[in-house]
Amino acid sequence: MTEVPPRRLKTIAYLMDESIRLPGGYRIGWDGIIGLVPGIGDVAGLAVSAYIIAESARLGASKSVLLRMSANAAIDAILGAIPVLGDLFDFTFKANRRNLHLLQSQLDVPQRTRRVSIGWLAVAGVVALLVLVAVLVLLSRLIAWLWNLVS
């Protein structure tokens, strides 16, 4: 592994997440701008994120860090696809910057970053499971309520 992520990855993350300065000093990137184009924009942003993840794998990032990077990219793409609120989310989440930071941490302190990523993935998995159970419970109650209305 190298000590510093390649300049091209830093440049891509900068362009996608913070290259446009707004009044007040807040920065946005092209990910949020292209995300405004329904469907195509979110797919294009996900493709760029996938490139950063693939390069991180090539540089030797651990599986747990790559999974965490993938989760960041998936969150950005899925929530970014929601009309209006998703566009606002795209401007604030900055998945590529997060993933570049994860890669840098992996290169600097690989064992700690791997351990933290495993913990993060475990918590995210439990939360996802709880959300799934809640959705299934609500769905079953909705079906029961509809069944009672019909019968």
Side-chain angles (χ1 to χ4, degrees):
M1 293 192 0
T2 61
E3 289 187 13
V4 178
R7 174 169 271 166
R8 71 182 175 283
L9 295 183
K10 290 180 180 180
T11 300
I12 291 168
Y14 174 78
L15 289 171
M16 293 300 285
D17 290 342
E18 51 195 0
S19 61
I20 303 166
R21 186 178 179 167
L22 298 176
Y26 189 75
R27 302 185 80 82
I28 63 171
W30 287 101
D31 184 38
I33 301 293
I34 64 174
L36 294 171
V37 178
I40 297 170
D42 295 314
V43 171
L46 184 58
V48 173
S49 294
Y51 172 75
I52 291 173
I53 295 167
E55 284 296 299
S56 297
R58 191 182 65 73
L59 290 169
S62 68
K63 289 179 184 176
S64 60
V65 169
L66 294 172
L67 280 172
R68 190 169 167 194
M69 290 176 161
S70 298
N72 285 337
I75 289 167
D76 187 41
I78 292 168
L79 295 181
I82 299 169
V84 183
L85 291 177
D87 296 322
L88 293 174
F89 179 79
D90 263 346
F91 287 121
T92 59
F93 187 66
K94 302 178 188 300
N96 297 302
R97 188 182 69 188
R98 289 171 185 264
N99 286 346
L100 192 67
H101 177 73
L102 276 171
L103 176 60
Q104 184 64 61
S105 294
Q106 173 79 68
L107 298 173
D108 291 343
V109 282
Q111 291 300 83
R112 181 180 181 282
T113 305
R114 182 177 174 275
R115 237 185 359 262
V116 168
S117 292
I118 289 170
W120 186 91
L121 289 167
V123 169
V126 168
V127 169
L129 185 60
L130 290 174
V131 168
L132 177 64
V133 167
V135 167
L136 291 174
V137 166
L138 290 173
L139 186 60
S140 69
R141 289 186 179 196
L142 177 64
I143 291 170
W145 179 74
L146 289 172
W147 182 259
N148 285 336
L149 278 179
V150 173
S151 45

